[in-house]
Every structure is written in structure tokens, then in C-alpha cells.
Amino acid sequence: MRRDRWNEKWRERGAGARSEPNRFLVEEVSELPAGRALDLACGAGRNAIWLAERGWCVTGVDYSEIGLAEARRRSARQRVAVDWILADLTGWLPPAHAFDLVCVLYLQIPAGERHVVLERAAGALAPGGTMLVLGHDLSNLTEGHGGPTSADVLYTPDDLVADLAGLTVERAERVIRPVEDEDGLHEAIDALVRARRPD
Ligand SMILES: C[S@@+](CC[C@H](N)C(=O)[O-])C[C@H]1O[C@@H](n2cnc3c(N)ncnc32)[C@H](O)[C@@H]1O
């Protein structure tokens, strides 16, 4: 989905966009000591704001100005400071070795672009820093609920591991995310990789 579609989506969702942090981010990051965090494809900011509320010094990047405007409103309301950056990740170079945590949640872009973004994201990790990448798994197309309907933007944990050369992989697996809607309870399948830059 391109930038104008994301702007439309965030405009439709408005203040009703999800505000609770992603469950896997909470599981994977809660035990880490707060430091500097980079949230790539931060959308309306739910995860970046959760991190900032826990004492992280957070930078959030997204190319949707409508999503970021909502993120700014939310962070002001919650009285937390987040450095919001409007940028297309396929052309944006993060500062090298500057972050203790880099997270990329549900960035569904074609494999070639994803590889570039994740390679740069890995380069932004300080020694000992943690990378968390999570998104709709390829198998979700046929076996799971919701998510993108084009295989081009889906991936597997192995695809993500291949994008993160030089990092030590701590966890790489498919995870189930329960989703409830008006038709009942469903299961979505996500790909999750947690990796670390060696000290
Ligand atoms: C499914 S939303 C996920 C938002 C957030 N990570 C979350 O979990 O709530 C995907 C986000 O990726 C952003 N995005 C997609 N392609 C991008 C690109 N090339 N550069 C920057 N942001 C991008 C969209 O604007 C959208 O906000």
C-alpha cells in the first residue's frame, strides 16, 4: 500500500486508531533497560508512545503525515516527548549505531525495499542493541485472518533473518495473534524476529 492509501487509512481511523501497544512488542521489550529507541513505520504512534511512557528516548519515523499528526496529538495528550520524523524509509538513512532498540512492526513492502530498510535499520543499532521485526507472515494469506492480500509484501521469519545479516538471532518464529471482530474470534499469523548486535 502506498503513501496516499496510508494517509487515507489514517484519516479514516482518526482518533479511533488502535492505541494499545502490540502484544509482542510488550512481551519482547518489557525486560530491557530503557535507552534510545527507533520505531520505523510508527504509524499513529501506539508503540513509540508506549516505549516513551516507559522511559525510552524514542524516535518514530513514518511517511504518512496524517498518521504522524495523530501520533503527535497522542504524545502531546500523554505528555511524553517523541521525536517524530516524516520520511520514506526506502530513502532515509538512520544514524549509525545510535539506538539500543530498533523496532519495525507491520511494514509490508516488497522484498527488495524491505531488505534495504532492514539493512539500514540493523546499522542503526548500537553494540548490544536489540532489533525487533514483526509483520504479517506469508502463511497468513491462506491460513490466517486479515492482513495484506498480496504475497509480494508478506514474509517469513527466515526472510527477515536473511535481511539482518551481522546480527545474532535470538528468536525467529511464526506467532499467533488472536483478532476479535464482529464475526467472532480469529487467528492471524505473524512473523517475528528478535536479534541483537554483538557487543
Ligand atoms: C500497518 S501500519 C503499522 C503502524 C505501526 N507500526 C503499528 O504497529 O501500529 C504500517 C505503516 O507503515 C508505513 N509505511 C509503509 N511504507 C512506508 C515507507 N516506505 N516509509 C515510511 N513509512 C512507511 C505506513 O504509513 C503505515 O503507517
Side-chain angles (χ1 to χ4, degrees):
M1 202 182 317
R2 306 321 293 186
R3 183 201 291 246
D4 51 345
R5 282 290 296 125
W6 272 113
N7 273 332
E8 257 175 60
K9 277 227 171 209
W10 290 123
R11 193 175 284 115
E12 279 163 20
R13 290 175 188 173
R18 191 171 296 164
S19 59
E20 76 280 8
N22 175 269
R23 62 169 61 212
F24 300 113
L25 174 76
V26 173
E27 271 176 33
E28 297 296 326
V29 164
S30 288
E31 300 299 315
L32 296 178
R36 299 151 299 169
L38 177 63
D39 181 12
L40 297 176
C42 62
R46 61 183 181 135
N47 299 311
I49 290 170
W50 179 80
L51 286 166
E53 286 171 340
R54 266 138 204 89
W56 289 82
C57 180
V58 188
T59 300
V61 186
D62 201 286
Y63 72 0
S64 165
E65 59 268 26
I66 306 297
L68 277 194
E70 180 59 26
R72 279 203 183 85
R73 272 193 292 277
R74 289 175 173 196
S75 56
R77 207 165 46 232
Q78 303 296 116
R79 297 178 190 282
V80 289
V82 175
D83 185 15
W84 302 112
I85 296 179
L86 179 67
D88 185 333
L89 291 169
T90 60
W92 186 73
L93 190 61
H97 309 308
F99 297 94
D100 306 295
L101 171 69
V102 176
C103 46
V104 191
L105 275 71
Y106 304 101
L107 177 64
Q108 311 290 156
I109 56 179
E113 293 180 11
R114 188 192 70 232
H115 182 77
V116 170
V117 172
L118 291 187
E119 195 172 46
R120 290 179 180 168
L125 273 182
T130 296
M131 166 83 76
L132 181 68
V133 188
L134 176 73
H136 301 285
D137 189 84
L138 180 60
S139 64
N140 194 64
L141 197 56
T142 48
E143 296 160 44
H145 178 77
T149 52
S150 163
D152 295 357
V153 298
L154 298 171
Y155 37 83
T156 67
D158 285 348
D159 294 332
L160 298 177
V161 168
D163 288 334
L164 298 174
L167 303 188
T168 305
V169 174
E170 297 179 328
R171 186 177 177 198
E173 58 189 88
R174 292 194 168 94
V175 289
I176 301 294
R177 179 171 41 86
V179 181
E180 195 162 11
D181 64 15
E182 57 281 8
D183 300 323
L185 194 59
H186 311 274
E187 288 189 338
I189 307 167
D190 289 347
L192 181 153
V193 170
R194 176 188 163 134
R196 199 163 174 271
R197 173 168 292 287
D199 289 316

